[in-house]
Amino acid sequence: MKRIGILTSGGDAPGMNAAIRAVVRTAVFNGLEVYGINRGYAGLLEQDIYPMNSHSVANIIDRGGTLLKTSRSDFFPTSAGQKRAAEVLKEYEIEVLVVIGGDGSLNGAMCLKRLGIEVVGIPGTIDNDFGASDYTIGFDTAVSTAIEAIGKIRDTTFSHNRINVVQVMGRRCGDIAMYAGLACGAKAMIIPEKDVPLEVICQRLIEGRDRGKMHSIIMLAEGCGGYRDYCKKVQELTGVETKGTNLGYIQRGGAPSHFDRNLASNMGYQAVNAILEGNTGTVIVNRNGKYLAIELEEALATPKIFDEAMYQMTQILSM
Ligand code: F6P
């Protein structure tokens, strides 16, 4: 009987549990043995490994976080760490490793592949910064969480005629800021993909005020800096009292949305199908609503395309 391993790595994301559940149940249905690896690559190196069955994943589809825990290992990125990880997998007779995580975690899977380990990846990160897939697990929930919080921030911002700079996650990718900003009618977006001078943004805010828009939300992706500096500069440039909020880790928690549960379930199911078909060295992606297993190397080399048309629309709608 073929034995597979599964781990989650990097930042947790709502929906990872649904993916774990789908992998375990599809594997068990098809007569595969599943070993869960706790705490990502660090747990693999420390042999924090246990057998899983259908019951191990009961009652988790609606839970945020990851049942398998996660980590960012210091040793795994080294060649000695990767060699040791490959040895541990062989010792446990794990023939295929399923890795659920973002870019860094899937790069780790690629390193194991180069050492002769069969892997299948599933993109899970709230940042939605994996270019090969239209969506990553957790992004939809994170945007919904941000929208809910911004609604509350808007109430108080409106009441005080203020500006509020709302910082969201996204080191290299402005998707959370842009999607949440569009859905909340944010006045401006400061995102890594667009280098718009703050003076230009502030001029728009002043013009908006002249037309009677007395409160404004500015979305800020963390990759562009911290909200405190922006608050100070925006207040100086506009003369309007400016406050800020960092939404922080609340964006990563909470029950996954229906979209993330279904995305994750499909990806987990297809990951096991890829294993059954011998189609390893791949990652499951979502493109135009379809699920595909594509070469991991090709996926990692696929740049994230910025949705310029969507950005332009946000600019028009936020006039
Ligand atoms: O999960 C992605 C992400 O949330 C990034 O947006 C963020 O910069 C990072 O992870 C922070 O994660 P941690 O503090 O857990 O290392």
Side-chain angles (χ1 to χ4, degrees):
M1 190 195 284
K2 211 181 185 79
R3 181 177 292 173
I4 68 168
I6 178 168
L7 60 79
T8 49
S9 164
D12 59 300
M16 279 184 166
N17 279 328
I20 297 167
R21 173 180 177 271
V23 168
V24 172
R25 295 219 164 144
T26 311
V28 169
F29 176 81
N30 286 287
L32 306 181
E33 262 188 325
V34 188
Y35 274 58
I37 300 162
N38 278 326
R39 295 180 296 112
Y41 294 115
L44 173 60
L45 290 165
E46 291 165 33
Q47 304 183 36
D48 193 352
I49 300 170
Y50 68 103
M52 297 181 89
N53 57 37
S54 269
H55 194 65
S56 320
V57 292
N59 300 318
I60 64 166
I61 194 166
D62 57 350
R63 278 169 50 195
T66 160
L67 171 80
L68 291 173
K69 309 281 180 83
T70 186
S71 66
R72 300 187 198 272
S73 167
D74 288 333
F75 184 46
F76 180 74
T78 66
S79 55
Q82 286 156 14
K83 202 165 148 267
R84 180 66 198 130
E87 282 166 9
V88 173
L89 289 165
K90 284 189 184 130
E91 279 161 29
Y92 277 79
E93 296 177 358
I94 291 171
E95 290 172 59
V96 188
L97 178 67
V98 177
V99 174
I100 306 172
D103 211 32
S105 308
L106 297 176
N107 256 303
M110 188 65 219
C111 296
L112 289 175
K113 185 186 170 212
R114 289 198 186 105
L115 294 174
I117 302 293
E118 289 189 63
V119 293
V120 176
I122 296 179
T125 164
I126 65 163
D127 287 356
N128 207 36
D129 59 354
F130 192 66
S133 189
D134 291 349
Y135 294 103
T136 57
I137 296 169
F139 169 67
D140 183 72
T141 309
V143 171
S144 297
T145 303
I147 290 169
E148 196 187 331
I150 295 163
K152 292 172 180 159
I153 293 166
R154 178 180 290 286
D155 289 346
T156 170
T157 305
F158 168 86
S159 303
H160 287 263
N161 282 345
R162 285 173 176 161
I163 295 169
N164 204 301
V165 179
V166 181
Q167 181 179 326
V168 292
M169 284 187 174
R171 274 176 293 193
R172 291 167 295 131
C173 180
D175 274 17
I176 298 179
M178 188 159 76
Y179 279 68
L182 171 63
C184 292
K187 187 76 189 149
M189 285 158 206
I190 302 169
I191 53 178
E193 295 88 342
K194 290 301 268 190
D195 191 11
V196 183
L198 197 56
E199 287 74 13
V200 172
I201 289 173
C202 288
Q203 187 52 38
R204 289 189 75 218
L205 293 172
I206 292 165
E207 286 164 11
R209 257 181 119 80
D210 291 345
R211 287 195 304 269
K213 174 141 177 61
M214 303 309 284
H215 75 285
S216 298
I217 300 289
I218 301 179
M219 296 302 300
L220 168 66
E222 64 176 347
C224 296
Y227 74 90
R228 284 197 174 85
D229 288 343
Y230 280 99
C231 284
K232 221 166 139 252
K233 287 184 208 146
V234 168
Q235 184 159 318
E236 272 164 25
L237 289 166
T238 59
V240 179
E241 190 178 19
T242 304
K243 301 284 179 178
T245 315
N246 180 5
L247 295 189
Y249 289 98
I250 65 160
Q251 292 161 94
R252 280 225 306 238
S257 65
H258 82 92
F259 181 87
D260 276 327
R261 293 181 203 196
N262 293 350
L263 180 78
S265 297
N266 275 283
M267 285 181 163
Y269 177 74
Q270 293 302 347
V272 177
N273 283 342
I275 293 170
L276 294 168
E277 288 160 11
N279 193 14
T280 58
T282 52
V283 58
I284 309 301
V285 298
N286 171 267
R287 285 188 186 161
N288 301 319
K290 301 242 178 322
Y291 294 91
L292 312 167
I294 64 164
E295 282 292 318
L296 186 52
E297 197 158 7
E298 178 200 326
L300 287 166
T302 307
K304 168 90 182 163
I305 307 290
F306 179 62
D307 193 340
E308 182 67 37
M310 179 176 177
Y311 177 78
Q312 292 307 332
M313 177 177 65
T314 66
Q315 297 303 289
I316 292 166
L317 299 187
S318 67
M319 265 207 311

